Structure formats: structure tokens, C-alpha cells
Amino acid sequence: MNRLRAHAKINLALVVGAPRADGKHEVVTVLQRISLADTVALSAGERLSVSGFPDDTIVTEALRALAAVAGVEPGWAVEIEKAVPVAAGLGGGSSDAAAALRLANDLLLEPLSAVHLAELAATIGADVPFFLNHGPQLGAGDGTVLAPVDLPSDYWIALVLPSSVVKSSTGEVYRAFDLRDGARGFAERRETLLAALATVRRPQDLAALPANDLASSPVSEALREAGAFRADVSGAGPCVYGLFGDRGRAEAAAEALATEGPTWIASPVGNADATGLAASTVGA
């Protein structure tokens, strides 16, 4: 079997606008892959099978879509080793799907081009194309219009998954956003994000990026009190990240907040295949 590490992501910023004509929301987001990762293995098989994660739907959907476009039978056997928490705002399912698409595409007699594969990925989920790209990306449109951004990566990340939070579906989070008229002022927040992003030279400059429009958490403030120079919810949540200048402070913060729920230490990685520094579970 061929294998890829399917890295999680954090949204270093997420500004959200009104629903578009297609029902999706306009967004501007800064996406950063991190070292916490699943492992996806794939080989040719008589039929499509996905093992290791019984609740999978997105990998199956992605591979069926690839087979349909390529005009082949979906004859692949996939094994997923999960490490990224599910439905946490870290993109684990999307990353698994992207890894499976890359592995299966490589086995095709006539593989899809990178552009065609990205177009297919965009029909599976907004985050899936990001995981086919290298390095941090600025996402626009519905999140699938991507452009590379040059960001520092010499920092550490403490992740906290609050046990007290009942995870809402992403759709529910967006509906709540619409009900509170969250899109008001989108253009101004978008410009604030882009202006702040243009000034980032060192990790601490990431603190100037605007807060997540979709979700907030008191854990963010606790992480800042523990020394994080930036802390926010990732995606639609509920996972919260804190950025730290050194690993020791990140580990101390994760240990202090372990009563809130499972915690991990991670670091930024530069591309889809980078092993990075291994993410470690600190507490539960």
C-alpha cells in the first residue's frame, strides 16, 4: 500500500460574508497545515473499501467521484489511521479525502492533471483543494479559490478540544451566523485581514489577524493568559488553538488546560507530504 500523512489544518483567520447565489458563504481565510495528522494508505482492490474509520463518508465520496470522472471502476482499498479529532474544525476528513484522491489518482493509467484534480476536490468539500496544495494558503470565494502566502513557521501550537462544547454541524454554525447578521461589515473585515496579512514577518505578527467570525471560545482567552500570542477557534470549531514562541510554554499551557478536554502539541508544516514535528497528545 502507498501511504500519505493527512495533516490537520488551523484557520489562522476566518472572515465570513453573506450567502452567495449557490448557497455557500463568501469567505476569506488563512489556512495553515499542522503536524497533527492521520495516515491514509491505499492500494488497488476489486472494489472500493474503506477501513479503520467506520464513520467515513467523505473518502468514499471522493473516490467514487474520481472513478466517475476517470471512467474506471472504483477499485481501491483504503485504510485510515485516525489521529485528528473528528468534527473539530481541523479538516481531518477533508485531508483524508485529499490524500486518498492523490494516492488513487497516481494509480490511474491516465491520471488527472493537478488542475483537474483540484476542480474535482472542490466538489467534495471546501477544504479539500487546500490539502492538495503546498504551504499556507489564502482562501477566498467559497474557500476553494486559493493563493499561496508566505508565513513564518517557527512557532508551536497548543490545541484544546473543549469537552463541555456540544459540536454543532457546520451548517448549523453558519445558520446561527446568518441569524445574528454576522455578515454585516464583511468588506471592512476582509480589508483588515488582508492588510494585517501583508505585514506578517514574524510569528508574533499573526496576532494582528482578525478573530474568527464563526465561533469564539473562553478557552482562547485562557490560552492567551498562558502566554499564547494568538489564540482562536479553528474553522467552525470547537477546537481552539494557541500559538506560542517556544515549545515549553505551549506544553505548559496544554497541561494547564487539560481539564478542559483533550490537548495536543503541534507545529506548522510546509506542504502536503511534510512529516513536520510529530504532534503529541498532552492530556485528555
Side-chain angles (χ1 to χ4, degrees):
M1 279 190 161
N2 295 323
R3 299 175 184 273
L4 282 175
R5 284 171 61 78
H7 293 274
K9 59 80 181 171
I10 56 174
N11 296 79
L12 290 172
L14 177 56
V15 171
V16 181
R20 309 174 338 156
D22 60 6
K24 300 176 182 179
H25 285 70
E26 193 76 18
V27 304
V28 183
T29 184
V30 181
L31 298 154
Q32 172 65 62
R33 190 176 287 102
I34 64 175
S35 56
L36 179 63
D38 297 339
T39 300
V40 177
L42 182 145
S43 63
E46 294 183 359
R47 59 183 180 83
L48 178 58
S49 63
V50 179
S51 61
F53 182 52
D55 295 332
D56 168 70
T57 57
I58 191 169
V59 170
T60 300
E61 179 187 356
L63 292 179
R64 285 177 176 162
L66 175 63
V69 169
V72 301
E73 290 297 318
W76 298 293
V78 183
E79 293 180 4
I80 303 174
E81 183 180 337
K82 291 295 293 182
V84 179
V86 178
L90 299 176
S94 295
S95 188
D96 292 345
L101 283 173
R102 293 183 62 201
L103 290 167
N105 192 55
D106 287 345
L107 293 182
L108 294 175
L109 293 178
E110 296 183 12
L112 274 61
S113 68
V115 171
H116 197 177
L117 193 63
E119 290 173 348
L120 174 64
T123 69
I124 306 302
D127 285 337
V128 181
F130 163 70
F131 290 108
L132 295 174
N133 279 273
H134 297 278
Q137 300 279 320
L138 178 67
D142 65 350
T144 64
V145 180
L146 299 166
V149 289
D150 185 17
L151 295 179
S153 59
D154 50 334
Y155 58 88
W156 291 88
I157 306 159
L159 300 168
V160 183
L161 184 59
S163 298
S164 60
V165 177
V166 177
K167 166 65 176 178
S168 299
S169 71
T170 300
E172 290 171 337
V173 173
Y174 274 99
R175 282 191 289 275
F177 173 83
D178 291 336
L179 286 172
R180 65 175 183 267
D181 195 21
R184 184 185 297 273
F186 169 72
E188 291 79 6
R189 294 195 306 280
R190 177 184 181 276
E191 292 308 311
T192 297
L193 188 161
L194 295 177
L197 189 63
T199 68
V200 174
R201 300 291 182 272
R202 58 194 184 102
Q204 288 77 7
D205 296 336
L206 296 169
L209 295 175
N212 186 328
D213 273 356
L214 283 181
S216 61
S217 171
V219 174
S220 297
E221 181 57 32
L223 283 164
R224 285 189 287 269
E225 290 175 355
F229 56 81
R230 177 172 180 79
D232 208 346
V233 177
S234 182
C239 197
V240 183
Y241 65 84
L243 309 185
F244 293 82
D246 64 81
R247 177 165 185 155
R249 296 194 75 177
E251 289 178 337
E255 290 172 1
L257 290 169
T259 55
E260 298 287 344
T263 63
W264 297 262
I265 298 299
S267 60
V269 294
N271 60 61
D273 294 327
T275 299
L277 297 167
S280 57
T281 302
V282 175

